Amino acid sequence: MKQTLSQFLKLHLDEPPARLYPEAIFLLRENSHLQRQRRLWALWGLIIASSAGMVGATLYTVQEVARSGFLHYVALLGSDTSTVIAHAKDFALLLAESAPVVGLALFFGAVFLLLEAFWFLKQLPREVALYSI
Amino acid sequence: MNSQKFVESKSFRRALWIFAVLAAVCIIFEAGVIVGYHKAGFSYEWGDNYYQIFGGNPFSLDSDIGLDGPTVPRGVTGKVLSVTPTSMIVSGQDGTEKLVMITDDTLIRYQRDDVLQNTLMPGDRVVVIGQPTANGKIDAQLIRIIERTTHSISAATTTTSVR
């Protein structure tokens, strides 16, 4: 069987061209370089989007705080401590109900995305970043 | 693998973290359900009784009561619109008007002093903490006056308590 296969290969397969391996390796490197570059652009897009999202989330949070009066309630902790302690359960629920949860969630989400994007950017080889610039 | 090795293993620590995160998620979810229930319940009662309390025509085409979402049931901060001996209407910063009931147990404070109910004036800015009632009102426990329209509080009105 082995004999037959080697005979078959000799008869039907040509020798690979001499430049096949260098070209294949070059193409593979080029492909991987392009992939890294695409990743780099995606990361920069994510950084810009999350920065804009952070600004938007901050503005939304400020608006939400102003609407709910959250800071006025928190200030009562300093000015009317004994009364607040006497009605601690109601006060805790009041803070929970008026907390700008949606704005804060959006803000923390944007910060998380921004930090993740920077972390992934740091993982990319230095020459990719320089090459693309 | 004996129990000592199992306790010290990475899998055990990972399992601990997973349980801790799951517990935290459940607690936060339950807190959200409780807060959401109270907010939605109060907002429903508030909307249901709005025209009985504040007047107006509920069948009018432009009958917008200014409620964009659930409103805070246990307090209000904003400007006093009107005052009676037992209640006041506060225009909240979220664009809603709330009826705040003033009882004998209500503490009214301005700066460092307890003040009488009759010192409350329309136009004053107040912060109220209280308990929501079944018909969309707030039974005030504390009314803190943060800004006055009239800056003269006579000495006679400054006492230790409303009671």
Side-chain angles (χ1 to χ4, degrees), chain B residues 2 36 41 51 72 76 80 82-83 88 92 108 110 113 119 128 135 148:
Chain B
N2 61 28
Y51 293 105
V72 178
V76 61
V80 177
S82 68
V83 188
M88 65 175 179
I108 306 173
Y110 178 61
D113 305 310
T119 59
V128 179
N135 47 7
R148 305 220 70 156

Side-chain angles (χ1 to χ4, degrees), chain B residues 3 8 55 61 91 107 110 115 159 161:
Chain B
S3 61
E8 287 170 359
L61 286 174
S91 171
L107 193 63
Y110 178 61
V115 294
T159 63
S161 171

Side-chain angles (χ1 to χ4, degrees), chain A residues 65-70 72-73 76 79-80 83-84 87 89-91 93-94 96-99, chain B residues 34-35 38-39 68 72-77 93-94 107 109 127-129 131 141-142 144 146:
Chain A
V65 167
R67 271 172 61 88
S68 66
F70 180 73
H72 287 301
Y73 300 132
L76 292 178
S79 60
D80 301 279
T83 315
V84 164
H87 303 100
K89 190 192 159 200
D90 283 323
F91 185 72
L93 274 168
L94 174 66
E97 286 158 356
S98 61
Chain B
I34 291 169
V35 168
H38 282 117
K39 281 179 91 168
D68 291 334
V72 178
R74 275 160 218 281
V76 61
T77 170
Q93 287 183 334
D94 58 354
L107 193 63
R109 287 178 64 83
V127 181
V128 179
I129 304 180
Q131 277 198 321
Q141 289 159 344
L142 169 71
R144 153 69 58 186
I146 49 175

Side-chain angles (χ1 to χ4, degrees), chain A:
Chain A
M1 185 71 185
K2 263 186 180 175
Q3 193 74 22
T4 324
L5 183 64
S6 64
Q7 279 173 351
F8 174 82
L9 288 173
K10 269 185 186 171
L11 286 170
H12 294 92
L13 283 181
D14 294 327
E15 278 292 311
R19 290 182 58 206
L20 177 68
Y21 290 118
E23 277 181 9
I25 288 166
F26 174 77
L27 283 173
L28 282 172
R29 277 185 184 161
E30 190 70 7
N31 194 29
S32 113
H33 191 81
L34 276 173
Q35 271 186 347
R36 283 175 188 166
Q37 258 191 309
R38 273 189 215 124
R39 205 175 296 165
L40 183 82
W41 284 113
L43 286 174
W44 275 113
L46 190 62
I47 286 170
I48 291 165
S50 54
S51 303
M54 230 167 76
V55 173
T58 307
L59 292 175
Y60 184 77
T61 309
V62 169
Q63 218 176 21
E64 221 181 350
V65 167
R67 271 172 61 88
S68 66
F70 180 73
L71 290 182
H72 287 301
Y73 300 132
V74 172
L76 292 178
L77 272 173
S79 60
D80 301 279
T81 315
S82 56
T83 315
V84 164
I85 290 169
H87 303 100
K89 190 192 159 200
D90 283 323
F91 185 72
L93 274 168
L94 174 66
L95 287 187
E97 286 158 356
S98 61
V101 182
V102 178
L104 285 178
L106 288 172
F107 178 77
F108 290 137
V111 171
F112 173 75
L113 279 179
L114 186 70
L115 294 178
E116 277 289 294
F118 273 121
W119 188 82
F120 276 112
L121 196 69
K122 194 82 183 157
Q123 304 302 307
L124 282 179
R126 195 176 167 77
E127 70 269 17
V128 179
L130 290 173
Y131 177 77
S132 67
I133 292 164

